[in-house]
Amino acid sequence: MSSAASQRSWLTPSVVPGFGMTMGFTLVYLSLIVLLPLAALVVRAGGLGWDQFVAVVTAPRAVAAYRLSFGAAFIAAAINIVFGVLVAWVLVRYRFPFKRLVDGLVDLPFALPTAVAGIALATLFSKNGWIGSVVEPLGLKVAFTPLGVMVALVFIGLPFVVRTVQPVLQDLDKEVEEAAASLGADRFQTFRHVILPSILPAAVTGFALAFARAIGEYGSVIFIAGNLPMKSEIVPLLIIIKLEQFDYRGAAAIGAAMLAASFVLLLVINMLQRWSRQRMGG
Amino acid sequence: MVIEVRNVTKRFDTFTALHGLNLQIQPGELVALLGPSGSGKTTLLRVIAGLEFANEGQILFDGTDAGGRHVGERRVGFVFQHYALFRHMTVFENIAFGLRVVPRQRRMSDSDIKKRVNSLLSLVQLDRLADRYPTQLSGGQRQRVALARALAIEPRVLLLDEPFGALDAKVRKELRRWLRRLHDDMGLTSIFVTHDQEEALELADRVVVMNQGAIEQVGTPEEVYDSPATPFVYEFLGNVNRVPCRIENGKVSLWGVDVAAETHDGATLPAGETAGFAYVRPHDIELLPAGQGEPAVVRHVAAAGPTARIEVSVQGVQPLIEAQLSRKRYLDLGLKVGQQVAIAARAARVFPASASPGPPAGPAGL
């Protein structure tokens, strides 16, 4: 009895009812919404044959696009983890006029159509734009360069870090900071040794979300990137170009390669998160 | 270290938490701040620690004003109610924290830190748990880690906020005795906050009874228990019968004793007849065979233990009256539920009804 129960422990009655039904629904839903399209993608890419698949996926233009997509997404997410934590900190810790407004502003990149964001950013950073006209004479060209891609990705990724860190910061026990202060720690030491380790798992989650979002971002980037092959062309754009040339299999192949890379990266980030959470002792 | 609280007033927005308090604490004393929730006891502790700053008045440490100094500079060991341990650090690192954040020039060497932490670990009897994380410890163990962490910086005074509040009864009792021994061994001036009168009376050298941001009475446990200064102290320390009565010309005759009514705030008693309350401890009540005094009826008997607790009803008195008799006396009387007896008081204190505090007696909420 007991061995049977332990073997099938997930089938034993639980206080939370409805496991069978909700699990079934979850699996069906995930299959329909996520797995089925992805499977279609892989099947389509499989039509190429292995040699051709490798050739398409490792073409210099494709490799340059991966480098830009993943590199810019990573840097943008890294920038967001710093400033996102800062914004969350300010929103949680201080009282200031129009705080609700600022808080709402953070979500704007979520809501704004990405094309609108892209056009706005491109206008701002172009040679005649408000920012572009200032920084370009200094030798810093943003619009229509990889740097522009990064700027767009920073813009769309910010809310992810802020919104994951904010609740954790809010729940942080004030007594813990007071304890650190009473033991002689200054503000910096308290932040470095007490607060930061507490919000790190949430910040890593925010990083992962911002990163994932940035890899797939299309709308805002194409307006500011300039889209020069080998230079400022992102992977989603490359896929679109292939589609427009009716090269469906090539598009699917690059899509599949990107899928695999994203999955591996997110898996690594997930493991990192688990590790940091365990370090927190639960 | 002598701690002096001088005219301290603390306001939060519109609410005044402390009303011009004065208090002096002698070196090596163990003092309890006792009061219901909202009485300002925790606020006072935090003002002494430097976690809050008083709007008016001073905190003097050995005669020098500590007012401008931040909590980290006061060298106080503060033990928080919910321990506030660093969850991502091991027990060892928690205790070492205060030693590691010292500026490099004054910091002790790693091996000295290790020695100090290990000796603290054995002091709080947690040697084997040095590598555990706080979430892997029981409440009592966490409490001891918090204590060791506070002691690591060699504080001049130890401040404990509801140190036993979150523990179950048995652990609480053990830890209480252990803390008392520790205090005696180290001779450190200590102040702790509690809402548990039994805890305060058992543990402290002196008890400061607080109510609504003011100090009601300061004294040894015997003093506050045997001669409460105000009706509030009577009510809050509990274990007392409150009997409504009539005061006539400043006197009450209750169950065979004549008691002079008193006022705690120096006000004069109203002339003539007025309503009042008599406070009678259960052990100051004697039960006699029926007919020898004020009639009463036995309603409940709890005779397990060294003393017997008898509840009797007296005509015209609302709650049941509790009497405490020695076991022998109880057996001699042969008391049974429903039996007619007579009640007599050996001592009582009487206050006019106008001096009576609002909230009834009993343990205050957490």
Side-chain angles (χ1 to χ4, degrees), chain A residues 35-48 53 249 252-253 255-257 259-260:
Chain A
L35 281 183
L36 203 61
L38 293 184
L41 177 74
V42 172
V43 167
R44 195 42 103 90
L48 272 177
F53 176 83
R249 284 175 177 171
L259 186 69

Side-chain angles (χ1 to χ4, degrees), chain A residues 2 5 33 66 76 111 113 133 139 149 168 188 198 229 256 259 269:
Chain A
S2 68
I33 299 290
Y66 302 142
S133 62
V149 176
V168 177
F188 175 76
S198 312
L259 186 69
I269 293 172

Side-chain angles (χ1 to χ4, degrees), chain A residues 52-126:
Chain A
Q52 231 185 325
F53 176 83
V54 171
V56 169
V57 164
T58 58
R61 188 172 169 189
V63 171
Y66 302 142
R67 193 176 298 143
L68 179 64
S69 266
F70 286 107
F74 188 87
I75 296 171
I79 291 173
N80 274 331
I81 205 174
V82 175
F83 290 97
V85 167
L86 193 77
V87 171
W89 176 266
V90 169
L91 286 177
V92 170
R93 285 308 171 94
Y94 304 107
R95 283 199 289 181
F96 52 88
F98 305 112
K99 179 171 164 173
R100 306 294 316 164
L101 198 76
V102 174
D103 197 76
L105 223 53
V106 170
D107 285 327
L108 220 52
F110 271 146
L112 205 63
T114 50
V116 175
I119 293 167
L121 287 173
T123 316
L124 263 183
F125 284 98
S126 71

Side-chain angles (χ1 to χ4, degrees), chain A residues 39-281:
Chain A
L41 177 74
V42 172
V43 167
R44 195 42 103 90
L48 272 177
W50 180 250
D51 289 345
Q52 231 185 325
F53 176 83
V54 171
V56 169
V57 164
T58 58
R61 188 172 169 189
V63 171
Y66 302 142
R67 193 176 298 143
L68 179 64
S69 266
F70 286 107
F74 188 87
I75 296 171
I79 291 173
N80 274 331
I81 205 174
V82 175
F83 290 97
V85 167
L86 193 77
V87 171
W89 176 266
V90 169
L91 286 177
V92 170
R93 285 308 171 94
Y94 304 107
R95 283 199 289 181
F96 52 88
F98 305 112
K99 179 171 164 173
R100 306 294 316 164
L101 198 76
V102 174
D103 197 76
L105 223 53
V106 170
D107 285 327
L108 220 52
F110 271 146
L112 205 63
T114 50
V116 175
I119 293 167
L121 287 173
T123 316
L124 263 183
F125 284 98
S126 71
K127 215 186 313 179
N128 306 318
W130 291 346
I131 299 178
S133 62
V134 176
V135 296
E136 214 154 290
L138 302 174
L140 196 66
K141 220 168 134 22
V142 178
F144 316 123
T145 67
L147 199 60
V149 176
M150 219 183 62
V151 169
L153 296 182
V154 167
F155 175 80
I156 55 142
L158 179 71
F160 292 95
V161 178
V162 177
R163 290 296 180 236
T164 47
V165 171
Q166 209 174 359
V168 177
L169 214 49
Q170 215 129 36
D171 291 346
L172 208 64
D173 192 2
K174 199 164 172 285
E175 280 193 349
V176 176
E177 282 170 64
E178 289 178 344
S182 77
L183 294 168
D186 59 34
R187 290 301 296 160
F188 175 76
Q189 287 170 320
T190 304
F191 183 80
R192 166 73 189 76
H193 297 292
V194 176
I195 299 171
L196 200 59
S198 312
I199 59 174
L200 200 62
V204 172
T205 303
F207 175 87
L209 290 172
F211 179 62
R213 174 81 173 79
I215 290 173
E217 177 58 15
Y218 175 73
S220 62
V221 175
I222 54 164
F223 288 99
I224 197 173
N227 307 327
L228 296 170
M230 307 294 296
K231 231 190 118 198
S232 58
E233 190 178 57
I234 55 169
V235 183
L237 180 69
L238 188 62
I239 294 171
I240 296 280
I241 289 171
K242 287 205 182 287
L243 287 177
E244 280 170 352
Q245 294 162 352
F246 304 106
D247 179 7
Y248 294 131
R249 284 175 177 171
I254 291 183
M258 184 122 168
L259 186 69
S262 302
F263 187 74
V264 168
L265 278 171
L266 288 176
L267 202 68
V268 168
I269 293 172
N270 241 316
M271 278 154 63
L272 204 72
Q273 246 172 287
R274 245 181 92 147
W275 172 78
S276 66
R277 210 150 269 165
Q278 267 164 3
R279 291 266 308 163
M280 286 284 300

Side-chain angles (χ1 to χ4, degrees), chain B residues 93-109:
Chain B
E93 285 305 321
N94 261 284
I95 297 172
F97 185 85
L99 305 173
R100 293 212 201 276
V101 294
V102 172
R104 198 176 298 274
Q105 315 85 277
R106 289 190 286 119
R107 196 183 306 161
M108 35 203 314
S109 69

Side-chain angles (χ1 to χ4, degrees), chain A residues 175-176 178-185 189 193-194 197-198 279-282, chain B residues 46 51 71-72 76 80 82 84 86-89 97-98 101 133 135 149 153:
Chain A
E175 280 193 349
V176 176
E178 289 178 344
S182 77
L183 294 168
Q189 287 170 320
H193 297 292
V194 176
S198 312
R279 291 266 308 163
M280 286 284 300
Chain B
R46 290 172 60 87
L51 292 167
V71 56
V76 294
F80 291 84
H82 302 291
F86 307 128
R87 297 202 308 148
H88 57 284
M89 295 183 198
F97 185 85
V101 294
Y133 285 93
T135 44
R149 185 179 67 174
I153 60 169

Side-chain angles (χ1 to χ4, degrees), chain B residues 320-356:
Chain B
L320 294 179
I321 300 296
E322 185 183 321
Q324 228 168 351
L325 304 184
S326 72
R327 195 167 176 78
K328 180 170 184 310
R329 179 77 188 143
Y330 159 72
L331 291 172
D332 287 350
L333 285 168
L335 293 176
K336 300 264 178 315
V337 172
Q339 190 176 339
Q340 299 276 341
V341 290
I343 188 168
R346 275 188 286 264
R349 297 269 300 279
V350 175
F351 295 93
S354 56
S356 174

